[in-house]
């Protein structure tokens, strides 16, 4: 499947090597997208790190990781927070590892956000001069070098964005054993043949993260941005 | 090969079928929570695709996703982590084939399909409320051979783009194509007016044992007023936002109070052949009247 779309086969070995075999001609931007996405997720997994699917923002209290299903609005919320002066720490993949004291740390990732055309329009930002992530998609790279945090940050909170049919955004704590399940649900998705063998270590690390980090579900209504209200809820929560 | 597709044009009784099946399978003492039904989302659910594809659908074009969907369903069918004997998946897509001829819903992953059909006159009335449109828009939408959902190129939706087509071609796509798996047709009106026999036939089709007491209870637990009460108390997560309530009316034949003569004529002109085939239109042009059965999911 990946082979047909990316035009290449990928083999990731020992968390240190990515071998690429070009199968047929394809766009280098498309190849790069999968390299930085699925392949990097596999590398992190093989290294015993926890790759979460989402964005991370640096705050005075540590890293906020924004997770959620595809389409829930992680990147859009990250863009609002970026506009409010927060530094971007990671985009798309958040690499979490435990330091020698067992504290979860988020590593700096890619200094960019990927935003769709409608989101740019919402921010009254033109796509002129911006590079598409792939020629075929109306989705753009937004460089954030001017507001990028290049240093690892302790993980403070994980917010899971979800779309609901209630009229206003809301925030709900996730507690107890549900925290572990929630984190597991938001690992970066990839198909790894050896995933089963690596799972016991991952489970142990995830349990530690679940104990140490605050986890919340942040819900927003479908089809209505209400971004400021959503960002206000997140800010009020992590500052509390 | 354990997938049973619960296929229907929108607003034809799919939710009701899922509520019934959930109650029958769980066989609990109280009605199943409508916000905790069995069956993992829809066939066009983006998260389902991402989980099994192992790549981000948000980095793919609509065409690439479409081409990858049969492989995703095969992986889903092979997933032994929860080992269900039957895996029910709701589908609103028309049955289509990829450009290379491969069916969107592969036979080697499928045990069968249950196709739920409802009088298009009532579907028009019901979809008007669900999609927050006018009746003229509903009628036109049902006749549109290019009708698709979640097709924007400028944003990401939580559903993948899926093709509906016109109402009658949707029906024929599932019932007349060489799918390679058995398809059992259920009429919404029979679910309402002859529930015991109709649902017993569904159970027999999927190979579940028919236990009369269990069946009677599942029918009671999936009655319209029970669903309405649950929605009033706790909401229903599948209700789209502009709609005041999902379990709205449930009546058969409400089209008589709502459609104008012109709208009625248009629907018959667009879909008369299929309507006749399923008993919704007779040669004398008088439509069968409802027998005064129980109201159900609208």
């Amino acid at each position: 499947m990946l082979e047909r779309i990316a035009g290449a086969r990928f083999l990731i070995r020992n968390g240190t090597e990515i071998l690429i075999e070009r199968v047929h001609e394809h766009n280098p931007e498309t190849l790069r997208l999968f390299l930085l996405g699925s392949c990097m997720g596999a590398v992190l997994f093989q290294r015993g790190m926890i790759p979460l699917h989402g964005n991370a923002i640096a705050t005075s209290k540590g890293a906020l990781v924004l997770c959620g299903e595809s389409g829930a609005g992680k990147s859009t919320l990250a863009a609002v927070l970026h506009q409010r002066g927060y530094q971007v720490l990671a985009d798309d993949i958040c690499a979490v590892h435990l330091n020698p004291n067992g504290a979860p740390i988020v590593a700096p990732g890619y200094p960019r956000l990927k935003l769709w055309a409608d989101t740019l329009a919402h921010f009254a930002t033109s796509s002129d001069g911006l590079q598409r992530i792939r020629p075929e998609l109306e989705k753009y790279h937004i460089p954030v070098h001017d507001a990028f945090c290049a240093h690892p940050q302790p993980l403070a909170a994980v917010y899971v964005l979800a779309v609901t049919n209630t009229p206003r955004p809301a925030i709900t704590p996730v507690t107890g054993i549900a925290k572990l399940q929630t984190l597991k649900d938001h690992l970066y998705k990839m198909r790894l043949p050896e995933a089963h063998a690596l799972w016991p270590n991952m489970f142990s690390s995830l349990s530690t993260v679940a104990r140490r980090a605050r986890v919340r579900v942040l819900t927003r209504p479908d089809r209505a941005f209400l971004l400021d209200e959503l960002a206000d809820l997140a800010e009020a929560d992590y500052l509390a | 090969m354990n997938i049973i597709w619960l296929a229907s044009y929108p607003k034809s009784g799919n939710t009701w079928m899922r509520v019934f099946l959930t109650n029958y399978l769980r066989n609990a003492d109280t009605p199943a929570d409508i916000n905790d039904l069995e069956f993992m989302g829809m066939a066009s659910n983006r998260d389902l695709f991402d989980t099994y594809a192992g790549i981000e659908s948000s980095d793919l074009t609509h065409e690439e996703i479409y081409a990858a969907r049969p492989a995703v369903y095969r992986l889903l069918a092979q997933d032994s982590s929860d080992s269900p004997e039957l895996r029910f998946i709701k589908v609103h897509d028309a049955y289509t084939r990829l450009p290379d001829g491969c069916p969107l819903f592969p036979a080697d992953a499928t045990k069968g399909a249950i196709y739920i059909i409802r009088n298009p006159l009532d579907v028009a009335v019901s979809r008007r409320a669900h999609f927050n449109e006018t009746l003229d828009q509903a009628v036109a939408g049902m006749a549109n051979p290019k009708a698709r959902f979640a097709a924007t190129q400028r944003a990401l939706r939580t559903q993948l783009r899926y093709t509906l087509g016109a109402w009658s071609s949707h029906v024929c796509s599932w019932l007349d194509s060489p799918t390679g798996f058995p398809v059992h047709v259920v009429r919404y009106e029979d679910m309402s007016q002859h529930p015991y026999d109709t649902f017993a036939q569904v159970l027999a089709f999927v190979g579940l044992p028919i236990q009369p007491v269990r069946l009677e209870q599942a029918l009671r637990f999936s009655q319209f007023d029970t669903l309405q009460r649950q929605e009033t108390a706790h909401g229903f997560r599948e209700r789209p936002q502009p709609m005041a309530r999902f379990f709205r009316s449930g009546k058969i034949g409400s089209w008589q109070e709502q459609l104008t003569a012109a709208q009625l004529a248009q629907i018959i002109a667009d879909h008369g052949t299929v309507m006749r085939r399923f008993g919704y239109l007779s040669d004398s042009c008088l439509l069968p009247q409802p027998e005064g059965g129980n109201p159900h999911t609208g």
Side-chain angles (χ1 to χ4, degrees):
Chain A
M1 196 185 306
L2 184 60
E3 181 180 316
R4 186 169 22 167
I5 295 164
R9 283 197 203 102
F10 301 90
L11 176 64
I12 295 99
R13 285 208 290 232
N14 303 317
T16 55
E17 279 182 292
I18 300 176
L19 299 169
I20 305 172
E21 181 192 345
R22 277 195 186 260
V23 175
H24 54 81
E25 271 312 301
H26 220 94
N27 188 287
E29 276 144 356
T30 306
L31 192 67
R32 186 162 52 233
L33 207 55
F34 293 114
L35 207 53
L36 296 181
S38 303
C39 294
M40 192 54 70
V43 165
L44 296 170
F45 201 91
Q46 286 180 348
R47 288 191 183 192
M49 299 177 84
I50 304 167
L52 290 175
H53 179 214
N55 305 84
I57 299 288
T59 75
S60 54
K61 295 220 173 171
L64 299 187
V65 172
L66 307 174
C67 291
E69 284 181 11
S70 220
K74 308 180 281 298
S75 297
T76 309
L77 181 56
V80 174
L81 294 172
H82 171 242
Q83 253 195 355
R84 290 187 180 194
Y86 292 94
Q87 291 187 325
V88 171
L89 179 60
D91 175 66
D92 200 32
I93 310 184
C94 293
V96 180
H97 70 276
L98 302 179
N99 73 7
N101 295 330
I105 308 292
V106 183
Y110 309 129
R112 53 101 160 114
L113 291 174
K114 298 191 301 189
L115 297 179
W116 288 88
D118 273 359
T119 305
L120 286 179
H122 176 80
F123 286 120
T125 302
S126 166
S127 58
D128 290 346
L130 290 177
Q131 196 191 9
R132 291 190 177 205
I133 68 165
R134 285 177 67 192
E136 302 89 342
L137 293 177
E138 287 191 52
K139 194 172 173 188
Y140 299 86
H141 282 298
I142 317 296
V144 295
H145 298 284
D146 59 328
F148 178 69
C149 177
H151 308 287
Q153 299 292 317
L155 174 59
V158 177
Y159 293 113
V160 178
L161 258 132
V163 176
T164 63
N165 57 15
T166 49
R168 305 226 72 86
I171 188 164
T172 320
V174 180
T175 56
I177 196 91
K179 286 171 88 175
L180 176 58
Q181 184 62 48
T182 301
L183 292 170
K184 180 173 180 262
D185 288 343
H186 294 283
L187 285 171
Y188 201 79
K189 290 183 166 95
M190 62 214 127
R191 299 191 64 80
L192 279 183
E194 74 271 37
H196 288 297
L198 298 174
W199 180 245
N201 282 338
M202 174 61 76
F203 182 84
S204 164
S205 305
L206 271 181
S207 303
T208 306
V209 176
R211 272 199 306 279
R212 304 267 204 140
R214 185 186 292 196
V215 180
R216 301 281 186 261
V217 173
L218 196 49
T219 56
R220 69 160 183 91
D222 197 5
R223 302 294 180 112
F225 276 104
L226 293 179
L227 279 173
D228 284 326
E229 210 176 310
L230 200 61
D232 289 344
L233 274 177
E235 279 190 298
D237 180 76
Y238 94 78
L239 284 172
Chain B
M1 201 181 96
N2 58 9
I3 295 178
I4 301 269
W5 303 106
L6 297 178
S8 71
Y9 191 88
K11 311 315 294 171
S12 302
N14 206 305
T15 301
W16 182 7
M17 181 62 72
R18 281 184 299 133
V19 173
F20 168 80
L21 286 168
T22 298
N23 278 290
Y24 192 82
L25 288 167
R26 289 195 191 153
N27 197 21
D29 295 330
T30 51
D33 181 350
I34 56 176
N35 288 307
D36 181 30
L37 296 177
E38 298 284 324
F39 327 140
M40 41 202 301
M42 260 168 76
S44 49
N45 181 271
R46 184 177 291 279
D47 195 54
L48 181 106
F49 180 98
D50 284 2
T51 301
Y52 286 94
I55 50 179
E56 295 294 312
S57 60
S58 62
D59 289 339
L60 304 180
T61 63
H62 288 307
E63 291 73 26
E64 285 163 345
I65 293 169
Y66 181 59
R69 283 173 67 185
V72 164
Y73 299 135
R74 286 197 179 93
L75 290 168
L76 172 59
Q78 285 160 22
D79 182 4
S80 55
S81 59
D82 50 352
S83 294
E85 282 185 29
L86 292 175
R87 202 187 282 280
F88 294 97
I89 302 181
K90 171 181 166 181
V91 178
H92 279 322
D93 292 71
Y95 181 92
T96 58
R97 287 176 187 271
L98 271 47
D100 65 3
C102 171
L104 179 59
F105 302 107
D108 57 358
T110 303
K111 184 169 181 192
I114 297 168
Y115 188 85
I116 307 154
I117 188 172
R118 185 181 186 187
N119 189 335
L121 304 175
D122 283 330
V123 170
V125 169
S126 184
R127 81 162 259 176
R128 185 202 62 78
H130 187 97
F131 296 123
N132 199 29
E133 53 190 358
T134 65
L135 269 175
D136 282 335
Q137 284 170 332
V139 172
M142 286 173 68
N144 180 4
K146 297 198 167 81
R148 293 198 296 209
F149 274 77
T152 176
Q153 306 273 25
R154 294 173 48 89
L156 199 65
R157 298 278 178 250
T158 50
Q159 291 292 327
L160 305 172
R161 186 181 74 182
Y162 68 91
T163 298
L164 270 188
W167 178 83
S168 38
S169 56
H170 189 283
V171 174
C172 295
S173 75
W174 277 95
L175 304 188
D176 299 335
S177 303
T179 60
F181 50 79
V183 180
H184 177 71
V185 183
V186 182
R187 287 181 3 136
Y188 178 99
E189 294 75 15
D190 292 333
M191 288 159 73
S192 182
Q193 292 166 344
H194 311 289
Y196 190 94
D197 289 341
T198 305
F199 285 102
Q201 283 166 26
V202 167
L203 295 175
F205 173 74
V206 303
L208 285 170
I210 299 168
Q211 293 162 352
V213 170
R214 189 174 167 187
L215 175 47
E216 295 275 9
Q217 180 180 264
L219 290 174
R220 270 199 314 279
F221 286 172
S222 50
Q223 274 183 338
F224 187 74
D225 53 359
T226 305
L227 308 182
Q228 253 188 341
R229 269 200 304 276
Q230 282 201 38
E231 183 174 20
T232 303
H234 304 295
F236 182 41
R237 64 200 284 187
E238 296 177 37
R239 174 187 60 82
Q241 225 167 313
M243 215 178 168
R245 4 176 13 99
F246 182 92
F247 298 108
R248 192 182 51 90
S249 143
K251 291 198 302 195
I252 294 171
S254 56
W255 62 268
Q256 293 172 95
E257 294 137 33
Q258 308 238 3
L259 295 180
T260 63
Q263 288 159 350
L264 174 62
Q266 186 63 54
I267 294 176
I268 293 174
D270 292 333
H271 309 293
T273 309
V274 177
M275 289 173 73
R276 212 168 260 118
R277 182 173 163 188
F278 290 95
Y280 297 128
L281 183 65
S282 68
D283 286 338
S284 60
C285 293
L286 288 172
L287 284 92
Q289 297 300 309
E291 289 166 31
N294 294 324
H296 217 283
T297 324

